[in-house]
Amino acid sequence: MNTVLPHPTPAHATTGELTFGVRGLHCASCVNTLERKLREHQAVSTAIINLATETGFVRFDTRELNDSDIFNLVAHAGYTPVELAGAAAASDEDLLSQRNWFIFSLSAALPIMITMGNHGNHAVMQLNLLLATVIQFSAGLLFYRGAWSALKNRTANMDVLVALGTSAAYFYSLATYYGLFGTHQGVFFETSAMLIAFIRLGKYLEARARGKAGDALKKLLHLQADKAILVTESGEEAVPASVIRVGDVVLVRAGEIIPVDGTVIQGGGAVNESMITGEALPVLKSVGDTVAGATLSTNGFLYIKATRIGEATLLSQIITMVRNAQGDKAPIQKFADTVSAWFVPVVMLLSALTFIYWYSFHASGFLTAFRFAISVLVIACPCAMGLATPTAIMVGSGIALGRGILVKRGSALEVISKISLLFLDKTGTITKGTPEMTDLVPVARSIDPLKLLECLATAEAYSTHPLAQAAVAAAHEAGVAPGEVEEFEERGGFGITCSYGGCSLAVGNERLMEEQGISLAPLAKKTAALTGAGKSLVYVAADNSLVGVAAFADSLRDGSREAIARLRSLGITTCMITGDHATSAERIAEQAGVDRFEAEVLPERKLAVVKEYQSRGLIVGMVGDGINDAPALAQADVGIAIGAGTDVAKETGDIVLIRSELLDVVRAITIGRETLRKIRQNLFWALCYNILGIPVAAGLLSRYGVTLKPEYAGLAMAFSSVSVVVNSLLLKKINKTL
């Protein structure tokens, strides 16, 4: 099988590319601001900022800019650029910092909440003032910095509104405490304190998600071989893999990782290419065949001439596909960016208009106008709307985790509820991923099947080949124990020869039988049928005579057929996608009951297929377990990784099925749909709360005797937040139906 991918076209000599880490990104508005600032420079042609991984990618004209200049542009925009090599360490530090700030702010805010009704106690009020002040100017300092950075760039992000809301609540309470507005009864330090604690919790959860997002690329990089055996005229020499150049010859023995993409020029053996194809069975390689770096030689020896190294290798291209897919922006994110950009200015404008209305047109005095303006800011604080989505997602994620479904990207629960097409990898996802012996056919009725199985297992007992291990497992289940052999020899790409009980055995493929001069004609009709069913064959010969054949195939996972049937009942179209050949794929597709399938698909084709259906306006999901699935998992609107699969697949996927049960996909979709329903309910009530609450806070109903003091506006804001959380907690009822 040819595993060569097209080599990417090199950039023009004057075009430079820089990938770097970024610190100080607080929301989608920050991303838009930094991208806009970078693109304002005429030498920058492309600027992509990835909030999830906190990284930036810039393509620029090297005649006008260098790497240091790019870093200066980022710093001038109010953010901190970081060398990519140190980005991981900085991300870990940020996660620890966010966790500590949340614990600190919550610990300091709880005493204020507990004593919030005891305003008559001077000692309690002093304590609350002290705690609120500490929270406001320590844990809350982050929002002041973010707001200042946004305002300098002539934008308004959520930090601006958080800073305004908490500041309004805090400074009004501070002024009231010192008697500037009359009595101490209007103090509501708990509003600013708890708001900061809640948002700090969100920052911590966001930092955790960001840390996980970049692990997939790290796992891929770790697959690369760090050593190679270079073959020269003077002999063999162990060298770092990085020194290999195109045209060099390397030796790869059984059990070693192939260090480069290349062509076999001598030797032969089996290579585990599951990284590329996802298939468990090793592929036989001989002179003239191509091999890919980071794949594993399982037996034999290979002399390989390097054809591609470094960033040109297949593994590096897969890494690039994963990075590009993760960097793409979803349309819903752009919509959220637009909403967040307008929300803050509108609330600020309403607060200002409220002050002007009462102070200028009603001559109500400064304090009355100020109180109404503060009430608008406090009641419109984004706590309820900000909690509407994350609380529902947190509860939904908790329910999913209890069912063995790990949700890595919170928004995946929303996206998975909308999918209309689900791609399913075959090997390891629909099927078990390991071969099993399905047929054992003696050449004649006079041959005892158990004796045939004993000969097969005896010869295969000393081999690590997956088919050999499957044969031994089948013998164990049948109560047949392998015997002791002599003159054992295993030849890569052929099979095994040995002596057992005074009889010479040859167990292997058709090539071995041909070499031994053994006719396969007696089983030709049967083997044709087995091969046509997509099964792998191992022949058994004794004393130069064919005695039988064993057939092996991958089998369906328990629950696969039921899961696919239930997916269809949910209105979701299923498509199996695999690197296996068409005959085997068709057999599994029929057994599983999928709507359609695509076979002989390489990683870039899987990615292309996902993009094709997305371009038609479909919400696409992808379920996979292998490294070869990583690009498609990242590109799909929601990637679902099998827990028993590779680390790369699990890190790339948005959702991981810990128990590796396909039925958990159905459960995840059910949880996602219920979570989305709760999000919509929360947003509806939060919106209604603002539509109804802001006019009351602004005093528009005062002629009817209905007003809302700032302290009551703070309580109303807290109540709206509690109602959203309680509504989200009701999501737990679906546990009974999963």
Side-chain angles (χ1 to χ4, degrees):
M1 178 184 60
N2 191 342
T3 59
V4 177
L5 294 180
H7 192 291
T9 303
H12 193 268
T14 60
T15 300
E17 295 181 350
L18 177 64
T19 301
F20 54 94
V22 185
R23 294 291 166 265
L25 298 172
H26 297 156
C27 64
S29 181
C30 295
V31 172
N32 292 338
T33 298
L34 182 52
E35 288 181 345
R36 177 172 55 82
K37 283 291 183 179
L38 288 170
R39 288 170 183 158
E40 283 178 356
H41 197 290
Q42 61 181 7
V44 175
S45 58
T46 303
I48 300 175
I49 305 301
N50 190 326
L51 181 62
T53 57
E54 292 188 300
T55 58
F57 171 80
V58 176
R59 184 176 289 118
F60 58 96
D61 190 335
T62 56
R63 294 172 296 185
E64 297 187 42
L65 294 175
N66 56 32
D67 293 359
S68 297
D69 296 329
I70 298 297
F71 275 25
N72 289 335
L73 290 175
V74 174
H76 185 71
Y79 304 94
T80 305
V82 181
E83 291 285 351
L84 199 59
S91 179
D92 292 339
E93 292 176 5
D94 181 57
L95 176 62
L96 182 62
S97 174
Q98 294 292 358
R99 187 201 66 180
N100 292 341
W101 276 120
F102 163 63
I103 294 174
F104 169 77
S105 56
L106 182 63
S107 300
L110 284 177
I112 305 177
M113 287 294 295
I114 295 172
T115 60
M116 60 183 289
N118 196 4
H119 291 168
N121 189 312
H122 185 67
V124 169
M125 292 303 298
Q126 283 186 322
L127 175 64
N128 288 355
L129 169 60
L130 175 62
L131 292 174
T133 302
V134 170
I135 295 172
Q136 191 72 28
F137 299 106
S138 58
L141 195 59
L142 172 75
F143 309 114
Y144 286 117
R145 290 171 178 165
W148 173 243
S149 178
L151 293 175
K152 282 198 304 181
N153 290 312
R154 301 178 183 178
T155 61
N157 60 9
M158 295 303 287
D159 283 340
V160 172
L161 197 54
V162 170
L164 280 174
T166 57
S167 296
Y170 171 78
F171 285 110
Y172 176 84
S173 298
L174 183 66
T176 302
Y177 173 81
Y178 283 109
L180 298 182
F181 297 151
T183 68
H184 294 293
Q185 301 304 312
V187 173
F188 51 102
F189 288 119
E190 69 282 347
T191 298
S192 60
M194 288 305 296
L195 182 56
I196 290 174
F198 278 136
I199 297 176
R200 274 293 184 177
L201 172 60
K203 291 289 184 183
Y204 168 59
L205 296 175
E206 181 181 351
R208 286 189 63 185
R210 286 176 175 174
K212 292 292 184 182
D215 287 346
L217 297 179
K218 299 175 190 175
K219 296 288 185 181
L220 285 173
L221 291 170
H222 288 162
L223 289 173
Q224 295 173 321
D226 54 3
K227 294 185 297 183
I229 300 176
L230 178 63
V231 180
T232 64
E233 294 180 357
S234 58
E236 300 171 3
E237 179 185 359
V239 298
S242 58
V243 307
I244 302 298
R245 296 292 178 261
V246 173
D248 287 347
V249 176
V250 296
L251 170 63
V252 180
R253 300 186 179 94
E256 295 179 346
I257 297 175
I258 297 174
V260 293
D261 288 7
T263 304
V264 178
I265 61 174
Q266 184 180 339
V271 175
N272 184 340
E273 294 189 329
S274 57
M275 182 201 75
I276 303 166
T277 65
E279 300 306 313
L281 295 179
V283 178
L284 298 177
K285 296 293 182 179
S286 57
V287 175
D289 290 336
T290 59
V291 293
T295 55
L296 178 67
S297 174
T298 59
N299 59 36
F301 67 92
L302 302 169
Y303 285 92
I304 301 167
K305 184 175 182 179
T307 57
R308 293 188 296 178
I309 59 174
E311 296 183 357
T313 62
L314 179 61
L315 178 63
S316 295
Q317 291 183 45
I318 291 178
I319 291 172
T320 300
M321 286 188 281
V322 172
R323 181 181 286 120
N324 291 342
Q326 287 184 340
D328 286 343
K329 287 189 175 183
I332 192 172
Q333 182 180 341
K334 296 177 182 178
F335 173 76
D337 293 346
T338 304
V339 172
S340 64
W342 284 100
F343 184 73
V344 178
V346 167
V347 172
M348 294 171 61
L349 178 62
L350 289 175
S351 178
L353 290 175
T354 298
F355 180 84
I356 293 171
Y357 175 78
W358 287 104
Y359 187 71
S360 300
F361 296 100
H362 280 263
S364 301
F366 174 82
L367 289 181
T368 299
F370 182 69
R371 285 174 179 172
F372 282 134
I374 291 296
S375 294
V376 170
L377 271 181
V378 173
I379 204 167
C381 196
C383 199
M385 295 189 67
L387 288 172
T389 298
T391 54
I393 288 177
M394 285 174 64
V395 175
S397 300
I399 295 171
L401 186 59
R403 291 285 179 168
I405 303 167
L406 176 62
V407 180
K408 293 173 48 189
R409 182 169 63 91
S411 58
L413 279 179
E414 177 184 351
V415 178
I416 198 174
S417 67
K418 303 176 182 178
I419 63 172
S420 52
L421 175 65
L422 185 65
F423 286 106
L424 300 159
D425 177 53
K426 179 180 77 69
T427 306
T429 302
I430 295 178
T431 66
K432 295 178 180 178
T434 55
E436 295 180 347
M437 193 174 76
T438 59
D439 303 87
L440 184 63
V441 184
V443 73
R445 293 183 179 180
S446 59
I447 296 177
D448 182 4
L450 291 180
K451 186 64 177 178
L452 173 59
L453 183 57
E454 180 184 339
C455 292
L456 173 64
T458 297
E460 300 281 33
Y462 298 92
S463 174
T464 59
H465 194 283
L467 294 185
Q469 294 175 350
V472 174
H476 179 73
E477 290 182 9
V480 175
E484 296 291 333
V485 301
E486 297 178 351
E487 300 176 0
F488 177 86
E489 181 184 3
E490 181 176 9
R491 297 171 54 199
F494 287 82
I496 294 168
T497 58
C498 62
S499 295
Y500 173 58
C503 176
S504 62
L505 294 179
V507 176
N509 57 21
E510 187 174 343
R511 293 167 62 185
L512 179 63
M513 297 297 110
E514 181 180 350
E515 182 185 76
Q516 297 289 323
I518 299 168
S519 173
L520 303 180
L523 287 175
K525 186 175 181 179
K526 183 63 178 177
T527 56
L530 293 172
T531 303
K535 299 183 180 183
S536 301
L537 304 182
V538 173
Y539 296 94
V540 181
D543 290 334
N544 295 322
S545 297
L546 183 66
V547 293
V549 64
F552 299 84
D554 202 357
S555 58
L556 289 181
R557 279 183 178 274
D558 295 336
S560 289
R561 186 171 183 84
E562 179 186 353
I564 291 168
R566 290 178 61 179
L567 287 168
R568 185 181 292 109
S569 69
L570 293 175
I572 297 172
T573 301
T574 56
C575 177
M576 185 182 77
I577 188 166
T578 177
D580 203 357
H581 52 79
T583 304
S584 178
E586 184 177 11
R587 177 178 62 87
I588 295 297
E590 290 178 356
Q591 293 177 4
V594 294
D595 296 306
R596 64 188 70 158
F597 73 91
E598 290 210 22
E600 302 178 13
V601 177
L602 290 178
E604 77 278 12
R605 176 55 187 163
K606 286 188 178 183
L607 180 64
V609 169
V610 171
K611 287 184 175 181
E612 286 173 12
Y613 283 92
Q614 287 177 324
S615 66
R616 301 177 190 176
L618 298 176
I619 305 298
V620 177
M622 172 70 191
V623 186
D625 73 320
I627 297 172
N628 62 299
D629 300 318
L633 285 169
Q635 174 63 36
D637 296 286
V638 58
I640 306 170
I642 299 296
T646 64
D647 288 342
V648 174
K650 288 183 286 187
E651 295 297 345
T652 306
D654 304 306
I655 295 175
V656 179
L657 308 182
I658 299 173
R659 299 183 301 184
S660 303
E661 293 184 6
L662 201 56
L663 277 168
D664 283 340
V665 176
V666 181
R667 297 186 180 101
I669 293 172
T670 302
I671 294 171
R673 290 185 176 183
E674 289 299 314
T675 301
L676 180 59
R677 188 171 66 88
K678 284 297 179 185
I679 290 173
R680 287 171 174 167
Q681 289 178 359
N682 288 344
L683 290 174
F684 172 78
W685 289 113
L687 182 61
C688 285
Y689 155 78
N690 278 287
I691 291 175
L692 297 175
I694 290 177
V696 175
L700 298 184
L701 300 181
S702 59
R703 68 174 62 184
Y704 304 107
V706 180
T707 59
L708 195 61
K709 295 181 179 180
E711 57 267 34
Y712 297 141
L715 287 174
M717 183 274 294
F719 176 77
S720 69
S721 301
V722 171
S723 66
V724 164
V725 174
V726 170
N727 187 49
S728 296
L729 290 173
L730 294 176
L731 184 60
K732 292 184 177 181
K733 290 183 178 181
I734 69 169
N735 249 325
K736 301 176 182 179
T737 63
L738 294 176

